[in-house]
Amino acid sequence: MRTHAILGHAAATAFLVAIALTHSKAAYCEGFVNVQIVCAAMAVRALAHDQHGLVWSASDRGICRFDGKELLCPVDKPVATLRTDESYVWAGMADGVVLQIRGLVPRIWAHVQGQITSLVSSRSGVWVASTGALTFFDLLKPNQAPVQVWPEATLHLAKRGVDGVFAAVGKKLLSVGPGGP
């Protein structure tokens, strides 16, 4: 795990602005108070805020967590996307691996066909979009095999209600939920 000491007391909102900046340009920072470039040497692909007030980033250099003072990086492989829920941080890796992170401990949770493009966690499961398919993993039935919901490359997901998703598949927009739309 990489650890980066951060000087000063930057707020999480300042981190959201600062980590997204990959180039230090004063014009981008005008009007913001307490902007600090936390880590400018990464291409950030996703940001998520967890229930403890910590900010997580997914980048081409891995997954990092920022608490306002320190940047901790428990994963050092390229990450495609990242989401948080009440219990975990979920990461979709570029190689099709789904990671589940609790605290700072990552574990391989699943593998999907193709490169992961998006993921969404819901009360009942985790939806994973990839260049291979749209797949649903049921958290309420952990011993059940994952369900391939749509057999085509799926690019984007957005949460729909409590348990469903909207999925962008080619020129189609799907509305999907357990038991049907």
Side-chain angles (χ1 to χ4, degrees):
M1 176 180 347
R2 292 185 321 246
T3 304
H4 305 281
I6 305 300
L7 301 175
H9 297 282
T13 52
F15 171 72
L16 287 171
V17 173
I19 194 129
L21 296 174
T22 56
H23 301 287
S24 179
K25 304 276 186 194
Y28 293 132
C29 299
E30 288 179 18
F32 288 97
V33 177
N34 200 18
V35 173
Q36 176 182 5
I37 304 299
V38 175
C39 188
M42 66 174 100
V44 176
R45 293 192 174 97
L47 292 170
H49 192 253
D50 72 14
Q51 73 277 12
H52 303 292
L54 303 170
V55 179
W56 294 79
S57 68
S59 76
D60 58 338
R61 298 181 69 198
I63 299 171
C64 294
R65 184 187 80 182
F66 185 65
D67 65 2
K69 297 178 186 176
E70 191 173 39
L71 188 67
L72 299 173
C73 303
V75 177
D76 62 359
K77 294 181 179 179
V79 182
T81 189
L82 182 83
R83 296 287 183 270
T84 60
D85 63 21
E86 296 81 26
S87 304
Y88 303 103
V89 174
W90 297 94
M93 308 301 286
D95 61 2
V97 170
V98 178
L99 286 181
Q100 181 189 64
I101 303 170
R102 185 174 205 134
L104 281 171
V105 180
R107 77 175 183 100
I108 295 175
W109 190 72
H111 295 269
V112 297
Q113 174 188 349
Q115 182 177 354
I116 295 174
T117 56
S118 183
L119 61 82
V120 170
S121 64
S122 68
R123 183 178 58 190
S124 62
V126 177
W127 301 85
V128 181
S130 73
T131 54
L134 172 60
T135 307
F136 176 71
F137 295 88
D138 193 332
L139 293 175
L140 303 177
K141 301 174 188 168
N143 296 327
Q144 179 179 332
V147 177
Q148 187 180 64
V149 177
W150 197 262
E152 294 178 51
T154 307
L155 297 180
H156 303 287
L157 294 175
K159 206 166 191 173
R160 184 202 86 188
V162 177
D163 285 326
V165 293
F166 290 107
V169 180
K171 294 183 178 182
K172 298 180 273 300
L173 177 62
L174 305 179
S175 175
V176 187

